[in-house]
Every structure is written in C-alpha cells, then in structure tokens.
Amino acid sequence: MFLPVPYMPEARVTLAVSGFNIPGTEIIPPPELSALPKALRRHADLGLCPIGGNEVVCPPDSWEYYNRVLTPHGFSVILGGQALGSSYPADSAYNVVVAGKFALLNPKVCDKTLLKLLENRYEIVAVSQGYTKCSVAPVTENALITADADIYKKTSALGMDVLLISNKGVMLPPYENGFFGGATGMTDKKTLAVNGSLSLMESGNDILQFLEAHCVSVMETSSFSPFDTGSLIPLKVIADNN
C-alpha cells in the first residue's frame, strides 16, 4: 500500500528510500547527486520528494534513477523543472515536508513544478528554511520535532504540537552538526527510527519525553551519535497491519 500522507505510515513500512537500514524493510539506496557537496550527495531528501499516494517528484539529477527503480513498484516519478545546485539554497529545491494537511516549504527555493503540485493538495506554509524536511521529524499528522525557530513558530500557530530542539549531537562531517530530521524516519504509525542513539544528543531526553507523550517508541540503529544521512522516506506499507 502507498502512503496517502507522505512520511506518515499507518502500518509497517515495507519499502523506503534511505541512507540507513531498517530491519524488515526493503531499502532503496539514494543515488549519488554529483552536483551537491560530497557530504550531501547521497541524501535521499534532496533528490526525492513524496507528495502522496504513488507520486514522487525528482530533480533532473535523480529522475532517471528513481524512474528505473520505483516504476516497477507502481510509482509515478514526476520530473521537476529545476536541477540541483552546488550550494544552498539551490541544493534544497526538493527538500519539502508534508505535515498532515500542510506542506512546509520555502516558496522562494522550492522547485516550481513541485510547488504547483503541492498547492493542489495541501495548505502551503511558507517558512524561511530551505532545508525544510531536514529540519523536521514528523511524529504524527499533528505533531513534529524541529530545531528551526521559524518552523516552530509557524506550525505552533497552526495548532500543532511542536518540540523545539537543538541539533547538537547530530553528526554530519565536515559540518558542525547535521539535522535531526535527516537522521530519522517513521517506520510505522508508532515507531520513529533514529540513525544512532538519542542518549548522545543534547535534546535526547526531551525528544524521548515528547515521543512518549504521543505514544511513539524509538528504534535506535546504533549506540553512536545520530548521523544525518538524509531522511528515511517511507514509500509503501504492509497491506494488513493486524
């Protein structure tokens, strides 16, 4: 089954694009995006944007790859109009996150083809951050975690339950920190996978308490600091979750 709402699986994820592995999930590795800085070249959330159901949007840089590997799984892979650039914000044109009925993005940065598709499906929430998906870890359709103050302000004003954190402890060499959203992804309705251990994050305890309040458990992939490899993008879930 496809996900009606991106990043919000209602059952166990069986297919995902990710830079880290999840037991029991078929992982499609992201391609190398040669236009990007070396540390970001295999970040799934920079080269693929799910918009709901079986539709995803890709920049020209990754379209051929995703069209080849996702079409056999029933996906419609839509070609965006803007190629990726080597620096911010041109590298973040497809780094958009859907949170419930809202699409969070910077309209000045977002690819115009992608923006038009999202406008027809979701209520657009304009934020200053270009790395919107990297900056957000969706927890439920009405709750999310972010280290971005503007995203926190805008989504809180919409009535969402939002935890503002520090990214300190998330690794992405040679940068000082990575993004928590880029080191995570939901693997079913009640489990957030973290590519590392929350115990080594400054905001780790706050995150655990927030997740517990939403009845969401944590799947930690290692005992090391969380590593930002780009968000886990769930694409399909098991048809029967009983």
Side-chain angles (χ1 to χ4, degrees):
M1 289 178 56
F2 301 109
L3 280 67
V5 180
Y7 297 105
M8 285 288 100
E10 288 293 312
R12 180 176 62 83
V13 175
T14 58
L15 180 71
V17 175
S18 175
F20 60 96
N21 291 321
I22 300 297
T25 298
E26 180 182 351
I27 296 295
I28 295 174
E32 183 173 10
L33 303 170
S34 59
L36 301 183
K38 186 174 181 180
L40 306 179
R41 286 181 182 174
R42 293 193 183 274
H43 280 217
D45 52 22
L46 296 178
L48 177 70
C49 183
I51 60 174
N54 72 330
E55 293 186 311
V56 298
V57 182
C58 300
D61 313 59
S62 59
W63 181 86
E64 183 177 352
Y65 172 81
Y66 283 119
N67 189 54
R68 174 168 52 84
V69 299
L70 293 183
T71 298
H73 291 282
F75 284 91
S76 174
V77 183
I78 300 168
L79 175 64
Q82 182 175 335
L84 296 175
S86 60
S87 59
Y88 181 83
D91 58 352
S92 62
Y94 300 82
N95 194 242
V96 171
V97 62
V98 173
K101 64 180 181 179
F102 305 108
L104 314 180
L105 55 87
N106 183 332
K108 296 179 181 179
V109 172
C110 184
D111 171 70
K112 301 310 177 187
T113 299
L114 173 57
L115 179 59
K116 185 175 181 179
L117 289 166
L118 292 169
E119 287 174 334
N120 291 332
R121 296 170 184 237
Y122 305 102
E123 182 177 334
I124 302 299
V125 179
V127 298
S128 58
Q129 176 63 259
Y131 293 126
T132 312
K133 175 60 198 78
C134 294
S135 300
V136 172
V139 175
T140 73
E141 290 191 21
N142 294 300
L144 58 85
I145 300 169
T146 184
D148 186 277
D150 185 53
I151 292 175
Y152 173 79
K153 178 181 177 181
K154 298 283 180 59
T155 52
S156 295
L158 295 170
M160 300 187 74
D161 189 9
V162 188
L163 176 67
L164 183 63
I165 64 165
S166 164
N167 280 321
K168 189 173 181 180
V170 180
M171 307 301 291
L172 182 57
Y175 306 106
E176 182 178 357
N177 293 117
F179 290 95
F180 181 67
T184 62
M186 297 295 289
T187 61
D188 60 46
K189 190 174 183 178
K190 294 295 182 181
T191 308
L192 178 72
V194 178
N195 188 30
S197 174
L198 290 177
S199 66
L200 298 176
M201 277 189 67
E202 183 177 277
S203 297
N205 286 335
D206 292 334
I207 293 169
L208 283 172
Q209 291 174 16
F210 183 80
L211 294 175
E212 184 178 349
H214 288 278
C215 301
V216 172
S217 61
V218 178
M219 177 193 298
E220 297 180 329
T221 64
S222 78
S223 59
F224 302 105
S225 295
F227 199 100
D228 179 356
T229 59
S231 310
L232 182 146
I233 302 178
L235 293 177
K236 276 188 169 183
V237 299
I238 194 167
D240 182 3
N241 64 341
N242 294 322

